[in-house]
Amino acid sequence: MPPANAKKRPEDLRSHRWYGVKDLRSFGHRSRTAQSGFDRSDYTGKPVIAIINTWSDINPCHSHFRVRVEEVKRGVWQAGGFPLEMPAITLAEPFQKPTTMMYRNLLAMETEELLRSYPADGAVLMGGCDKTTPALLMGATSMGLPFIFMPAGPMLSGNWRGNKLGSGTDSWKYWAELRAGKITEDDWQEIEGGIARSPGHCMTMGTASTMTSATEALGLTLPGAASIPAADANHARMATASGKRIVDMVWEDMKPADLLTAASFDNAITTVLALGGSTNALVHLIAMARRAGVPLGLDRFDQLSQRTPLLADIRPAGRFLMEDFYYAGGLRGLLNRIRPLLALDARTVNGKTIGENIDGCRVYNDEVIRPLNKPIVASGSLAVLRGNLAPDGAVIKPAAAEQHLLKHAGRAVVFEDYNDMAARIDDPKLEIDATSVIVLKNAGPVGAPGMPEWGQLPIPKKLLAQGVRDMVRISDARMSGTSYGACVLHVAPESWVGGPLAFVQTGDIVELDVALRKLHLQVSDAELATRRAAWKAPAPRFKRGYGALFSKHISQANDGCDFDFLEGTAPTEDPEIH
Ligand code: FES
């Protein structure tokens, strides 16, 4: 039965159309539910909760979701709902080629259509591995039903001979050491066995931790959910609590539009900046905001960056890992530290404001979560660059770069695409030194396709051997949140569609000045116009299938890489009455 404060009666539920009416079709729905072993009393008059589960054998970050989903169901049953698990495509970051980003919008579409086409009154979204979080949220936001997000949680800290290992970050670090001959092949194999020790998503401040934390800051998880390690018993209890809560959210008719506002997106961006989060958050949050009808562009990130201190000392920018962060007080501890920067009256899924949810939340380790007066970086942990090389913007994470490179002019060494770079970067005859600027073209949303995380372009082997560990690198690709370096990313428009990056040649001088937010190619406008006139647009990579759909409809990085036909907030009309 609905609670006293319910805004809906059982016959107002969306699922009533499937189960509650007296006609031949609803007979079919009921008889087929009976076929699954459920009695009428199991679902009659109850909210039907779709649990969108991105579990798969191919996704180790979600391997515990097979168990967690049962814990979510337990909560739904306890609260008087009817749980229905609906598996959706997983996006397994380490495996999917060319990149999971190519499939983010596919999962978003699947989520929206699962919720639209089946008798769902509300949803629990189970994700966490990088793109699964924005994908699930984008689809569920477009559908507009009450939902709650249940994050996968970070895996335990990696370990090698007593040294902590962080996902991605330490892979890059020790791969460079191996290439420079500083560690052996046996060492490398030991690292392979110690870097991923439990279920859960990457435990550095990569895209996964960034996006689940941003989601909590948006008010779309129960308080505290994003920081709990996947292997912790508290994670199981959070799953059950999320299942319980969504049933009440349906009765209360708490929809995403009630929670997602310009202020809640500011909270999410501020959180990402205080965490030193992944640059991928720019693309995803822009796409998510636009699905919610909130106008958001790159400049808002730069504005908030200028007032937000970086407090979380987590790799790749810092020293610790997500398990340390949890023990130090987790996201709620950090949010309470930056509460002067937050819109505290933003509402969240538990019916309270974010201010109420973080009241009294403490930090237990000032090394991991710094006090406001001892930040790692006082402001500007992320910068949006513009100039004749990136008229629609580019992004850099200055905190993760060697500081002397943040004002730099150097000779471009250009690679036409990824394969060209892979073939020549380690050529001993390549004319390149530590002051050069490495440029990769055709790695953007259409060109790659899918804007893979190639943006941490490799340092040539001969320079590694000389001790060079960072250089200015420029591309229209993204970069893994677990990467680091003076990497200029998301150059827009991308080279494949004729952005100015397409016209850079080896030997040109490229100028980067982060303080001035400037990315400039020292080539005259007249010369650039000549090069543009000689440029030929590449032929489409895909002639059929999803790739053709993707290439035709994907937007540029500064617009969130959504499909043009999925943008907008028009409610999804159900095509039939019964
Ligand atoms: Fe899944 Fe990093 S591989 S979050």
Side-chain angles (χ1 to χ4, degrees), residues 59 61 93-94 128-130 201-202 208:
N59 195 338
C61 303
E93 195 62 31
C129 187
D130 284 22
H201 61 68
C202 291

Side-chain angles (χ1 to χ4, degrees), residues 2 12 20 30 38 57 61 66 83 140 147 154 190 197-198 200 215 269 375 377 440 458 548 564:
D12 299 327
R30 288 189 298 269
F38 296 109
D57 268 337
C61 303
R66 214 173 204 176
F147 71 79
E190 281 183 23
R197 297 171 46 233
S198 81
T215 302
I269 296 167
V377 179
L440 174 66
D564 49 13

Side-chain angles (χ1 to χ4, degrees), residues 89-101:
I89 182 176
T90 206
L91 311 179
E93 195 62 31
F95 292 99
Q96 206 161 20
K97 292 187 189 303
T99 163
T100 51
M101 187 62 189

Side-chain angles (χ1 to χ4, degrees), residues 59-62 91-95 128-132 153 155 167-168 200-204 206-209 453 480 482:
N59 195 338
C61 303
H62 296 179
L91 311 179
E93 195 62 31
F95 292 99
C129 187
D130 284 22
K131 316 303 179 286
T132 57
M155 67 178 98
S167 319
H201 61 68
C202 291
M203 69 337 225
T204 37
T207 304
S209 303
E453 293 183 338
S480 163
T482 60

Side-chain angles (χ1 to χ4, degrees), residues 465-485:
Q466 293 167 20
V468 177
R469 290 293 180 270
D470 199 4
M471 294 172 69
V472 175
R473 290 162 267 179
I474 299 173
S475 72
D476 42 17
R478 293 174 299 115
M479 178 171 87
S480 163
T482 60
S483 306
Y484 52 90

